[in-house]
Amino acid sequence: MNKLIIGQKPIGIFDSGAGGLTIARAVKSLFPNQPIIYFGDSLHLPYGDKSEKVLSKLTSDVMTFFESQNVGLVLVACNSASSVLELVQDKMFFTFPIVDVISPVISLFKQSRKTNPKVLLVGTRKTIRSNIYQKKLPNDIQLHAVEAPLLAPLVEDGLAQTDISNAIVKHYVKPHSKNMYDYCILGCTHYPLLVRDFESALGKSCEVLDIPKLVAAYLKQRLDTAQNANKEYITDRYYCTDITEFLIKQSQVFFGQEIKLELVSL
Ligand code: DGL
């Protein structure tokens, strides 16, 4: 696999809201010296219920924003947006490489795993109905895909790891699923905050994949960044298309530390 050379240029990270900060946090911990530009389209959230046409338009608008920021690469942290990325790239040319959040999972399942594994995929309506995982995963995987439209809003609303999230995860996962799966793919940027809820619903035999870690490790394999310690460091930027006090608070939960959100229009 050829390395993507981005030198000192920032890594653009994009999600529908603050949820993608779970991925940004993992990227930042593996690339502490690489500047990042985060873009959360909080004005248009949720992406998981948008039509293909609207989602493709929003995604290409965000890419045009990244063109103006001179990024070295864009990581589409949103699963729903990743599901329309090929359509967007068929119509528009971008000067930077784009990595989606689904490829690292596909790559893992092509390399190391149990044989004929039973895999549970959970995601938004858009992601599940796009069939993108089904199309890309190896054929021997026994995949069961579940749409879970309530989960992202629940996490956005600060209700992860509560009795409510526990009950709703169980509702989607179904009681007979305990110890039935080998792996669980959390196909949405918000779900890392629900890992404990999924682990308790799915039982010990199921490995709930750490998607942010997986995505960051995949980038590490693919990227060639500049290692010059004396370089002039560009500050990380965190842009959102709508900012409320609650979003500021939630961004801290997703990223694990305080960050300054800046308003930008699309
Ligand atoms: N970020 C979206 C995703 O990963 C979930 C939230 C939304 O529906 O916008 O699919």
Side-chain angles (χ1 to χ4, degrees):
M1 207 188 290
N2 285 345
K3 286 264 188 190
L4 301 167
I5 302 167
I6 67 163
Q8 299 175 2
K9 285 187 176 180
I11 300 174
I13 303 179
F14 154 47
D15 184 41
S16 55
L21 287 167
T22 54
I23 307 267
R25 178 184 188 171
V27 170
K28 202 63 212 168
S29 75
L30 276 201
F31 297 89
N33 299 321
Q34 199 72 21
I36 61 168
I37 297 183
Y38 185 83
F39 187 102
D41 192 7
S42 42
L43 179 66
H44 299 109
L45 183 96
Y47 272 20
D49 287 328
K50 297 279 182 291
S51 67
E52 196 165 85
K53 192 173 163 207
V54 168
L55 197 47
S56 303
K57 166 84 172 78
L58 290 169
T59 304
S60 37
D61 288 352
V62 177
M63 293 305 154
T64 306
F65 164 82
F66 278 125
E67 286 278 5
S68 72
Q69 300 293 307
N70 195 25
V71 292
L73 163 135
V74 170
L75 169 64
V76 179
C78 177
N79 276 263
S80 308
S82 294
S83 76
V84 297
L85 202 56
E86 282 174 12
L87 293 175
V88 173
Q89 286 182 292
D90 278 350
K91 289 199 184 125
M92 283 174 85
F93 171 77
F94 301 102
T95 51
F96 44 78
I98 303 175
V99 173
D100 66 86
V101 80
I102 295 166
S103 300
V105 178
I106 306 301
S107 164
L108 173 86
F109 278 101
K110 284 187 175 164
Q111 290 164 24
S112 56
R113 55 164 165 100
K114 296 179 186 165
T115 42
N116 298 117
K118 288 197 177 98
V119 178
L120 176 69
L121 165 69
V122 189
T124 64
R125 263 192 200 111
K126 181 79 204 83
T127 301
I128 301 299
R129 290 188 191 191
S130 72
N131 283 327
I132 187 140
Y133 281 93
Q134 290 87 328
K135 282 180 214 149
K136 295 192 169 188
L137 281 168
N139 288 335
D140 70 308
I141 286 176
Q142 304 173 56
L143 188 74
H144 179 59
V146 174
E147 297 174 8
L150 286 177
L151 292 184
L154 189 93
V155 174
E156 283 281 329
D157 229 27
L159 291 171
Q161 288 189 63
T162 61
D163 290 349
I164 302 171
S165 63
N166 219 272
I168 296 180
V169 166
K170 282 206 174 91
H171 160 77
Y172 284 127
V173 160
K174 306 281 181 251
H176 65 265
S177 298
K178 195 141 189 173
N179 293 318
M180 192 172 120
Y181 293 101
D182 298 301
Y183 302 98
C184 173
I185 304 170
L186 299 182
C188 174
T189 45
H190 291 61
Y191 299 176
L193 273 78
L194 297 169
V195 166
R196 303 273 168 276
D197 298 293
F198 275 99
E199 283 174 346
S200 100
L202 289 166
K204 286 205 167 63
S205 77
C206 180
E207 183 184 344
V208 180
L209 299 177
D210 185 337
I211 305 292
K213 203 167 153 193
L214 201 67
V215 172
Y218 179 82
L219 271 193
K220 190 86 185 167
Q221 272 177 13
R222 303 236 31 215
L223 286 193
D224 192 340
T225 55
Q227 296 303 322
N228 178 3
N230 297 321
K231 70 186 178 191
E232 208 173 290
Y233 188 75
I234 310 164
T235 328
D236 300 332
R237 310 294 289 260
Y238 302 89
Y239 294 107
C240 283
T241 46
D242 190 23
I243 299 178
T244 59
E245 264 178 41
F246 190 68
L247 185 76
I248 295 170
K249 194 172 141 244
Q250 278 308 88
S251 64
Q252 195 170 336
V253 176
F254 286 117
F255 197 64
Q257 67 186 72
E258 210 172 309
I259 47 174
K260 182 172 166 274
L261 298 182
E262 298 176 61
L263 193 61
V264 70
S265 52
L266 206 54

